[in-house]
Amino acid sequence: MSDLGHVLVLAGGLSYEREVSLRSGRRVSEVLRATGIDVEARDTDASLVPSILADPPDAVFVTLHGGAGEDGAIRSVLELLNVPYVGADPDACRVAFDKPTAKAVVRSVGLRTPESVTLPKETFHDLGATVVLGRIVEHLGLPLFVKPARGGSALGASFVRTAEELPAAMVGCFAYGDTALIERYVEGVEVAVSVVDLGHGPVALPAVEIVPDEGVYDYAARYTAGHTEFFAPARLSAAAAAACAETAVTAHTALGLRDISRTDLIVDADGVPHFLEVNVAPGMTETSLLPMSAEAAGQDLGDLCRTLLQNAAARARAS
């Protein structure tokens, strides 16, 4: 049995990624119960704070994706309640959740990341969409990848092959956020590298290679079984795999993250990884990448989650 009395798994929320979050929460709850932990799963509604005040958990595992789950808001509330939790603190979350800011931080420590333009919806409209988009194509070239500056699960993201496809991609992006990140597309192998710190410093788990059936790792490809083929570990040379691991740990450290993260990369033809984005609350569903990485490393997901919770509780006791 665990030395943790009971733990709280937060899942759901009101972001566009609610359904994915609920699936992540169910998975984490199941694997923790299998290790003997008393688990309570809760949504983030008006009853949450009174419930925590009435019966404070030993630690919280946050499986909220997007919005308040990754922008630091919920974690700020947990800190106000003096409840320990797994993952990065609110300040680090705010930096990592904003993709353009995260790109600037990792670029400052020497990591490669695709050249990009960040464009708020107001600028897009006020300055004239046709003129602005034309300049973007001239500056970045084609193809491009468009995605919301904040958010995840590839919602609102589009691969743009021609200049004619860019306006529709921008409209689709703005449906999920007020700011678009337009990146130069880097041809290569898409991989995800999870980083965990079980008490001895951040360590990269084996990279997972992502091969979507339709060529683009969109929402359907991520969360529909059979739409994407995964290879764990990724089919990379030893040198490229090591470079990916180093990149993910460097990003995790530079962004001030804690306990757990997942960095998405493109590995080009020369074996060089290019940073795309980082996730402070990685998906934990049956088709998510961190559980695949843990399995490839020979780690039991329940034991991993339990250790993270124990470390969070110990961190709180020591502070």
Side-chain angles (χ1 to χ4, degrees):
M1 298 293 289
S2 169
D3 57 345
L4 293 165
H6 84 283
V7 303
L8 183 63
V9 174
L10 290 182
L14 296 177
S15 80
Y16 293 114
E17 299 171 71
R18 173 178 174 81
E19 291 306 315
V20 178
S21 173
L22 290 171
R23 289 169 59 183
S24 286
R26 284 194 294 269
R27 180 85 185 279
V28 170
S29 297
E30 289 169 2
V31 298
L32 285 172
R33 289 188 182 111
T35 71
I37 290 180
D38 176 21
V39 178
E40 178 187 10
R42 293 194 64 94
D43 208 330
T44 54
D45 54 28
S47 67
L48 177 62
V49 171
S51 173
I52 290 176
L53 290 172
D55 184 18
D58 291 306
V60 175
F61 204 109
V62 180
T63 62
L64 297 162
H65 306 317
E70 296 188 72
D71 68 1
I74 286 295
R75 296 162 200 245
S76 293
V77 173
L78 294 175
E79 293 201 349
L80 288 172
L81 299 174
N82 294 316
V83 175
Y85 57 88
V86 171
D89 67 23
D91 287 341
C93 285
R94 280 187 281 271
V95 173
F97 187 61
D98 187 80
K99 296 181 181 68
T101 303
K103 282 166 66 73
V105 170
V106 302
R107 186 183 293 111
S108 74
V109 296
L111 299 185
R112 294 199 184 189
T113 185
E115 189 174 358
S116 62
V117 172
T118 302
L119 191 64
K121 183 190 298 184
E122 292 80 5
T123 305
F124 177 70
H125 289 299
D126 293 349
L127 298 184
T130 301
V131 174
V132 172
L133 295 184
R135 293 296 296 169
I136 288 173
V137 171
E138 286 183 31
H139 179 67
L140 295 178
L142 291 166
L144 298 168
F145 200 82
V146 178
K147 56 189 174 184
R150 296 159 64 88
S153 293
L155 291 166
S158 300
F159 177 56
V160 175
R161 298 169 181 82
T162 68
E164 290 73 24
E165 293 176 347
L166 186 53
M170 297 295 291
V171 171
C173 178
F174 288 137
Y176 290 94
D178 292 333
T179 302
L181 175 63
I182 306 107
E183 288 183 316
R184 177 179 291 154
Y185 181 76
V186 176
E187 188 73 35
V189 178
E190 186 167 1
V191 301
V193 183
S194 298
V195 173
V196 296
D197 186 346
L198 300 180
H200 306 287
V203 175
L205 299 178
V208 177
E209 179 182 349
I210 303 158
V211 186
D213 289 346
E214 301 298 324
V216 178
Y217 194 42
D218 57 12
Y219 184 89
R222 287 168 187 248
Y223 300 111
T224 305
H227 280 216
T228 300
E229 190 172 9
F230 301 98
F231 296 90
R235 299 171 299 177
L236 300 171
S237 68
C244 288
E246 182 180 1
T247 296
V249 171
T250 299
H252 180 97
T253 303
L255 291 164
L257 304 184
R258 187 175 64 185
D259 297 335
I260 189 170
S261 70
R262 194 195 77 233
T263 294
D264 298 337
L265 307 167
I266 292 287
V267 183
D268 67 23
D270 295 323
V272 177
H274 298 252
F275 173 93
L276 299 179
E277 60 188 79
V278 68
N279 299 267
V280 300
M284 303 291 277
T285 74
E286 296 77 4
T287 59
S288 292
L289 304 172
L290 188 145
M292 293 183 199
S293 297
E295 183 178 355
Q299 293 192 8
D300 179 79
L301 185 61
D303 290 341
L304 187 152
C305 292
R306 179 185 61 196
T307 300
L308 291 171
L309 285 162
Q310 289 170 330
N311 289 349
R315 185 165 59 228
R317 289 193 296 267
S319 63

